[in-house]
Amino acid sequence: MGLDWNNTKDSENELKDSETGFSYNKNEVYTVRIEDVGTGGEGIAKIDGYTLFVKDAVRGDLCEAKITKAHPKFAYTKLMNVIEPSPYRVEPACPVSRRCGGCKVMAASYEEQLRFKQNKVKNNIEKIGKVTDYEMNPIIGMDVPYHYRNKAQFPIGLDREGNLVSGFYAGRTHVIIPNEKCYLGVPENEEILGIIKAFMTEKQIQPYDEVTFKGLIRYVMIRKAFRTGEIMVCIVINGNKIPDCDELVERLQKVNGMTSISVSINLCNTNVIMGKLIEHVYGKKYITDYIEDLKFNISPKSFFQVNPLQTEKLYGKALEFAGLTGNETVWDLYCGIGSISLFLARSAKKVFGVEIISDAIRDARNNAKMNGIENVEFFVGKAEEILPQYYEKHGGYADVIVVDPPRKGCDTALLDTIVKMGPEKMVYVSCDSATLARDIKYMSENGYRLEKVQPVDMFPHTDAVEAVCLLRKQKQDDIIFNVI
Ligand code: SAH
């Protein structure tokens, strides 16, 4: 069956199925039962085999959905009404969760969220990765899945009535949904935003307007080190300075734990939050946090895992999968401030880290020194360029290669070099199971076997899921056996 896109005579909005003659009306409301969950956390329902994606619906809901955009094989719909709530449906803790769109699955119980994430990883690995024979461990969830984020970036703007607001952009838009009391963030966020907004009102400082490019204050980035309690605030501005900045600093200093205040100058009309220049206006240039007993200094622009509790579990699994005995040479690609590198260095002979952001590598080197770790070496640059160059020049040997790329996964040039270097193990830490699965497919076509997968819930209530995988180089005999 399929929809006949030429047969739209009856009305502009009507689509007719060429086989059954069943018509689907674009703006009509359909009553459907949600059967499954899509990769973005949306509900999935079927009408006569035709797929409806119902955003905000929970598996098991009987609901009314209105078609907003139709394609030949599926349609996007808006959830209009829940007629019979699913047993997995809960009242979301956050009253603006649906409008905000950050917590896409908050209306599902935490158990149901974990089930969805486990399945998402499994489906991607099996459908995209084309692997079925591997060990899938049960997802590691959180005991208390709230207030886990150590970092938040709040856009500042004006609402329709001209009031100063801060919050989050509604999904795929630049409309700010006022929300300072985010259930994923720390309570200090609200206090800090309150101080900054009161100051702006008093001094008549305008927020940045993305249409006119006028106004000063763009974003407020807040980071808290969970173990030490240290807080960092970085205010991103469209200008060179904040008027009466000393006064603002004096007020912010009073927040318990305030350790570092900086201003980031971003004069570009872009979606990138941070500007190139960071001016420190109070305290240290970084805050200090721990992962297990390792100490890390974190600068405003450096990447640091946002959920410190789950990070320990994630890194613990990466270490377990690496199976180090103290004699190994390890590469940690996409190493950020070297957190995984240092974590592994204690059990390895030598760790090489590669990261594209030079500030992060500066932090990584300092972090190594601060923790008295000497068997690490860091390189700045693209992993897909540094590793091949190193391999060409020095031959480059590795027992274990760890990768922890951003969402887009690894570049083929990098995977090719890994295959050439032939480490016994590759540990893949991923925040996007679709690109992970794509890369697993590539590695399995090139002599590696996926052994184990461990999903970890680093971002409860969102549709994102992290996973650590162990890939092992197959012995020549295994490959011949598998081909036969
Ligand atoms: N392993 C680190 C960081 C993981 S996030 C940790 O656990 O904290 C991914 C990192 O990859 C970011 O620090 C990002 O700056 C870096 N990155 C992005 N593209 C890269 C590339 N092509 N080569 C090297 N690093 C890159």
Side-chain angles (χ1 to χ4, degrees):
M1 107 160 215
L3 292 180
D4 182 355
W5 285 82
N6 299 320
N7 192 354
T8 53
K9 278 176 243 146
D10 303 349
S11 106
E12 272 287 292
N13 287 328
E14 194 179 87
L15 309 165
K16 211 171 236 177
D17 188 287
S18 49
E19 285 167 30
T20 62
F22 189 92
S23 341
Y24 303 89
N25 214 319
K26 215 177 182 182
N27 282 316
E28 212 165 295
V29 176
Y30 294 92
T31 300
V32 289
R33 175 79 69 186
I34 304 300
E35 297 169 14
D36 206 347
V37 195
T39 51
E42 67 283 3
I44 295 179
K46 301 261 183 195
I47 328 175
D48 296 340
Y50 185 63
T51 302
L52 297 188
F53 292 114
V54 191
K55 201 171 144 288
D56 304 315
V58 174
R59 184 173 66 107
D61 278 347
L62 181 69
C63 58
E64 290 178 331
K66 183 163 116 179
I67 295 185
T68 50
K69 200 169 182 197
H71 292 266
K73 291 204 158 34
F74 59 87
Y76 295 110
T77 70
K78 186 171 182 219
L79 175 66
M80 304 303 285
N81 181 28
V82 179
I83 300 168
E84 196 186 292
S86 154
Y88 311 118
R89 179 173 273 282
V90 293
E91 186 58 46
C94 173
V96 295
S97 65
R98 199 170 157 190
R99 284 180 64 216
C100 164
C103 291
K104 288 201 177 78
V105 294
M106 206 179 219
S109 66
Y110 190 49
E111 261 179 20
E112 170 64 6
Q113 291 183 23
L114 292 177
R115 189 205 69 91
F116 148 64
K117 293 186 184 190
Q118 178 102 44
N119 267 350
K120 177 168 161 171
V121 175
K122 182 172 183 289
N123 285 340
N124 278 336
I125 286 180
E126 293 175 11
K127 286 189 186 144
I128 303 172
K130 309 271 181 233
V131 184
T132 45
D133 181 20
Y134 65 98
E135 188 186 313
M136 169 63 92
N137 292 344
I139 186 165
I140 302 175
M142 293 194 79
D143 293 336
V144 183
Y146 295 101
H147 303 294
Y148 59 80
R149 279 192 72 101
N150 58 12
K151 180 184 169 187
Q153 300 180 119
F154 296 90
I156 311 279
L158 296 177
D159 66 9
R160 283 209 189 110
E161 284 77 42
N163 302 311
L164 207 48
V165 288
S166 56
F168 297 101
Y169 289 131
R172 292 172 197 273
T173 74
H174 270 209
V175 175
I176 299 174
I177 304 298
N179 182 10
E180 288 153 18
K181 209 179 180 148
C182 172
Y183 278 77
L184 308 190
V186 295
E188 287 88 347
N189 290 342
E190 204 181 351
E191 186 186 354
I192 292 165
L193 291 169
I195 294 172
I196 295 173
K197 284 198 302 183
F199 177 81
M200 287 173 70
T201 309
E202 218 178 288
K203 305 281 176 190
Q204 299 191 335
I205 299 172
Q206 290 301 307
Y208 179 65
D209 180 328
E210 289 184 317
V211 180
T212 61
F213 315 137
K214 293 208 171 100
L216 185 67
I217 311 284
R218 299 174 75 130
Y219 292 91
V220 176
M221 189 272 274
I222 304 171
R223 215 171 209 169
K224 181 176 178 180
F226 278 21
R227 193 83 74 81
T228 59
E230 291 184 351
I231 291 179
M232 161 186 284
V233 173
C234 181
I235 305 169
V236 184
I237 61 169
N238 170 45
N240 293 321
K241 60 191 266 261
I242 301 174
D244 298 322
C245 188
D246 292 352
E247 222 176 293
L248 175 60
V249 167
E250 207 173 291
R251 293 184 202 179
L252 286 172
Q253 241 171 283
K254 297 201 176 101
V255 176
N256 202 6
M258 190 58 67
T259 304
S260 165
I261 304 175
S262 55
V263 173
S264 163
I265 294 165
N266 184 356
L267 305 176
C268 302
N269 169 31
T270 120
N271 281 340
V272 177
I273 296 179
M274 288 285 188
K276 280 208 173 93
L277 212 70
I278 303 246
E279 198 184 311
H280 286 270
V281 291
Y282 169 75
K284 294 197 292 185
K285 291 189 169 178
Y286 52 82
I287 53 172
T288 304
D289 205 357
Y290 285 81
I291 296 175
E292 288 198 346
D293 55 343
L294 287 170
K295 206 173 172 187
F296 293 93
N297 286 346
I298 311 150
S299 321
K301 274 173 63 179
S302 295
F303 175 90
F304 190 65
Q305 294 281 356
V306 298
N307 182 336
L309 258 177
Q310 294 299 86
T311 297
E312 292 192 350
K313 296 177 189 161
L314 183 80
Y315 288 1
K317 274 289 159 192
L319 181 65
E320 181 192 316
F321 285 1
L324 304 176
T325 61
N327 295 319
E328 293 82 2
T329 300
V330 181
W331 281 80
D332 175 21
L333 307 172
Y334 310 89
C335 70
I337 58 167
S339 36
I340 296 182
S341 321
L342 301 188
F343 205 78
L344 300 182
R346 298 176 301 176
S347 316
K349 187 168 91 191
K350 176 92 192 202
V351 178
F352 297 97
V354 183
E355 160 65 42
I356 198 168
I357 296 188
S358 56
D359 280 9
I361 286 294
R362 196 195 57 221
D363 284 350
R365 289 179 182 138
N366 286 338
N367 289 332
K369 236 184 250 160
M370 195 166 61
N371 288 285
I373 295 177
E374 289 175 353
N375 57 338
V376 286
E377 198 174 323
F378 293 103
F379 302 95
V380 182
K382 291 183 178 171
E384 61 272 26
E385 289 174 5
I386 298 279
L387 195 70
Q389 281 162 15
Y390 191 92
Y391 178 69
E392 287 300 315
K393 251 197 194 153
H394 308 284
Y397 172 82
D399 295 289
V400 181
I401 294 186
V402 179
V403 295
D404 184 8
R407 300 193 82 131
K408 66 174 187 191
C410 297
D411 198 282
T412 318
L414 174 65
L415 296 179
D416 267 344
T417 308
I418 295 177
V419 169
K420 278 189 208 149
M421 285 171 78
E424 199 207 323
K425 291 175 198 152
M426 176 180 183
V427 177
Y428 197 132
V429 182
S430 157
C431 57
D432 185 324
S433 52
T435 54
L436 163 74
R438 180 202 64 202
D439 293 346
I440 285 176
K441 182 166 181 285
Y442 188 89
M443 292 308 285
S444 17
E445 287 164 355
N446 287 282
Y448 281 78
R449 192 178 97 79
L450 176 66
E451 247 182 47
K452 290 179 195 173
V453 179
Q454 175 63 67
V456 179
D457 190 19
M458 301 280 279
F459 315 102
H461 308 295
T462 74
D463 58 330
V465 55
E466 199 93 4
V468 194
C469 299
L470 170 62
L471 291 120
R472 194 184 291 270
K473 190 177 175 188
Q474 284 187 283
K475 294 193 189 81
Q476 212 53 33
D477 295 356
D478 297 339
I479 299 173
I480 292 163
F481 178 75
N482 284 350
V483 169
I484 291 166

